[in-house]
Amino acid sequence: MKTKLLLITLLFATMPAVNAQNRERDYLKKVFANLEKIESATYYVANESWQPGDSTALSILHGFIKEYNHPIDSTIGASYVSLDAKDTTKLNFCYDGNVRVEAYHDNKKLVIDDFTFKPLPFRLVRPPFFNFAKNIIKYALTTDDNITIELKDEGNDYYFKLTINEEQQVEFFGKAFHMPLPPFDIGNTTSIYELWINKSDNLPFKERREMSHDISVSTCSNLQINKLNIRDFNINDYFPKDYETVKYSDLHKKSGDSPSTSGLTGQKAPGWILENIDGQSLSLANCKSKVILINFTGIGCGACQAAVPFLKKLKELFSNEEFDLIAIESWSHNASAIRNYAKRKDLNYTILNATNEVIKQYQTGGAAPFFFILDQKRIIRKIIRGYSTENTDKEIINAIKELL
């Protein structure tokens, strides 16, 4: 009898939690159904990028988006064009299910990628807002992965949080993909996705993605639904007539993932004057060590962060007269973010804020990490692209010792 009473008590104790979970799932199904009704959408979007622990965004980009549901595309499942928020005739990026096109306005080029160069199991296309939100909710409702979900009433909105506790990080390129682990420790593999859903139309208007190395936030406004027809969408209509078109494969096939820097080996390193985290200017000409390692890095770059412990040890291996290490931050020009990064990583070497000119001179194309090893005459003796624990460490140390 006591056993029966205990079982009944436990059953009633678990009922509120079960009912709450059912209500959460029912509401998410309702939001998903609303998202499925969107055949097209136009909206303004603000995309922000953050580093974990920062209080200041690395970058804030504003755009005007034309998004189309495109179920024939079995990869992303959407087509879209991203235009300048202030000049909605000016192309930034577009994807039509066959190619992605990125506009480089500084040199009037359109880079076209047909995904035949180094094919991946997914397409590296940032999904448009509503496609992204739809796939997050679909995953939350159908996955067998280890997840937790949370739904809160915040007055005018609902707040939804999806936490994915898997051994690999999960990214959404259309559907969910478990990302292969890189050859270095990325720390926590937990993936977190958050949505803010407007009660008035039961549609998301803000999303946040958090990984151990990177946080991004997108907020959309001025939404108009189903005013456009995908049959009228022609990617060529957005191409500036005076821009040169370049194939992604032609641009990168000689050097893998980055512009070729091989022509710089054996050449005098381009001079520069850049600012450090205290706003003070430092020039290459004033660096007096026999050997200098210049590391082009990116605050949000996982491989760059993985290299930091080695670089800190490297700085201690040699005297200041023998060797100096200078990092050049090429992903963010936000001085506050660079300063916070240096403090958070407890850097014992100099980090400078890049300019577009120095990135162009060193031909990195903004890619990171790059390591340039200079001799006493400031001739570039070795260039290393990318970072792999131990292999890159040995390669750099050996190159420095050969020059001392």
Side-chain angles (χ1 to χ4, degrees):
M1 183 66 177
K2 288 182 179 179
T3 302
K4 288 183 179 180
L5 285 173
L6 178 60
L7 289 173
I8 292 170
T9 301
L10 289 172
L11 177 64
F12 278 97
T14 58
M15 283 180 64
V18 172
N19 289 335
Q21 290 174 4
N22 288 337
R23 286 195 298 270
E24 288 175 352
R25 292 182 66 84
D26 287 344
Y27 181 71
L28 290 177
K29 288 178 182 178
K30 181 178 181 178
V31 175
F32 179 76
N34 286 345
L35 287 166
E36 287 233 286
K37 294 175 185 176
I38 297 178
E39 293 299 324
S40 70
T42 62
Y43 49 90
Y44 288 89
V45 66
N47 294 316
E48 300 174 75
S49 176
W50 300 75
Q51 274 290 287
D54 271 359
S55 58
T56 305
L58 290 176
S59 64
I60 304 176
L61 302 175
H62 297 272
F64 177 71
I65 310 297
K66 295 181 180 180
E67 175 180 346
Y68 301 86
N69 186 38
H70 192 184
I72 295 175
D73 172 23
S74 61
T75 54
I76 303 299
S79 296
Y80 74 105
V81 56
S82 174
L83 305 165
D84 189 281
K86 295 181 179 179
D87 179 0
T88 56
T89 66
K90 185 177 180 181
L91 173 69
N92 289 327
F93 179 90
C94 53
Y95 170 74
D96 69 352
N98 297 308
V99 298
R100 64 176 183 180
V101 181
E102 192 161 1
Y104 291 86
H105 300 296
D106 289 344
N107 53 10
K108 292 192 172 183
K109 284 187 179 181
L110 297 174
V111 178
I112 301 176
D113 182 11
D114 62 2
F115 307 103
T116 57
F117 180 71
K118 286 191 175 181
L120 297 169
F122 47 84
R123 289 183 173 177
L124 283 172
V125 174
R126 180 189 177 106
F129 184 89
F130 291 101
N131 171 274
F132 190 58
K134 180 170 65 175
N135 282 293
I136 289 171
I137 293 176
K138 182 179 180 180
Y139 169 87
L141 291 170
T142 60
T143 188
D144 292 326
D145 286 348
N146 181 11
I147 68 168
T148 58
I149 62 174
E150 179 183 346
L151 189 67
K152 283 185 182 179
D153 188 334
E154 295 190 337
N156 294 327
D157 314 314
Y158 280 110
Y159 164 76
F160 166 70
K161 181 177 182 180
L162 165 68
T163 303
I164 307 170
N165 299 297
E166 289 288 299
E167 293 181 356
Q168 296 171 300
Q169 292 182 329
V170 175
E171 297 276 16
F172 290 88
F173 301 106
K175 65 181 180 180
F177 286 90
H178 291 72
M179 305 303 291
L181 291 172
F184 48 80
D185 183 14
I186 60 171
N188 191 350
T189 58
T190 299
S191 310
I192 299 174
Y193 293 91
E194 299 161 282
L195 297 173
W196 285 261
I197 304 166
N198 197 322
K199 286 183 179 179
S200 64
D201 56 12
N202 293 310
L203 287 173
F205 64 91
K206 180 179 178 181
E207 62 85 6
R208 183 178 184 272
R209 162 194 162 277
E210 179 177 344
M211 302 294 180
S212 61
H213 64 285
D214 178 62
I215 298 171
S216 60
V217 179
S218 295
T219 308
C220 72
S221 58
N222 297 84
L223 173 65
Q224 292 194 31
I225 296 175
N226 297 337
K227 302 291 185 182
L228 304 175
N229 192 316
I230 195 170
R231 289 193 294 270
D232 300 324
F233 176 52
N234 185 337
I235 200 170
N236 296 289
D237 292 342
Y238 297 96
F239 291 1
K241 291 182 171 52
D242 58 340
Y243 278 40
E244 177 189 1
T245 58
V246 181
K247 288 184 178 180
Y248 181 87
S249 56
D250 291 342
L251 190 66
H252 296 286
K253 63 185 177 183
K254 292 183 180 180
S255 57
D257 296 327
S258 65
S260 176
T261 57
S262 58
L264 292 176
T265 304
Q267 302 296 313
K268 183 109 173 161
W272 40 257
I273 301 175
L274 301 172
E275 288 190 355
N276 64 15
I277 57 176
D278 297 318
Q280 299 170 335
S281 294
L282 177 69
S283 71
L284 178 60
N286 286 337
C287 298
K288 304 303 181 184
S289 300
K290 289 182 180 179
V291 178
I292 295 177
L293 172 63
I294 300 176
N295 167 217
F296 280 82
T297 187
I299 286 180
C301 162
C304 300
Q305 294 189 41
V308 167
F310 162 70
L311 295 176
K312 289 168 66 175
K313 290 179 182 177
L314 183 66
K315 188 71 170 70
E316 298 171 354
L317 285 179
F318 306 96
S319 70
N320 291 336
E321 290 183 356
E322 292 177 319
F323 173 76
D324 200 4
L325 166 59
I326 297 167
I328 298 180
E329 168 54 42
S330 55
W331 283 20
S332 172
H333 297 319
N334 186 314
S336 175
I338 300 171
R339 188 162 48 250
N340 290 340
Y341 177 80
K343 182 178 179 181
R344 190 167 62 250
K345 296 294 184 181
D346 193 23
L347 299 186
N348 61 352
Y349 53 88
T350 301
I351 184 167
L352 305 174
N353 197 343
T355 61
N356 292 334
E357 181 63 22
V358 76
I359 291 171
K360 183 178 179 180
Q361 288 176 328
Y362 281 78
Q363 301 176 22
T364 67
F370 264 101
F371 302 93
F372 292 81
I373 301 174
L374 284 53
D375 67 14
Q376 194 165 10
K377 294 182 179 179
R378 302 307 173 242
I379 304 298
I380 298 173
R381 293 303 181 187
K382 192 173 188 63
I383 302 172
I384 300 170
R385 166 72 170 99
Y387 180 76
S388 174
T389 307
E390 294 186 2
N391 291 336
T392 307
D393 299 358
K394 291 177 182 177
E395 192 174 0
I396 290 174
I397 290 174
N398 290 339
I400 293 170
K401 287 182 177 179
E402 286 178 6
L403 295 174
L404 289 176

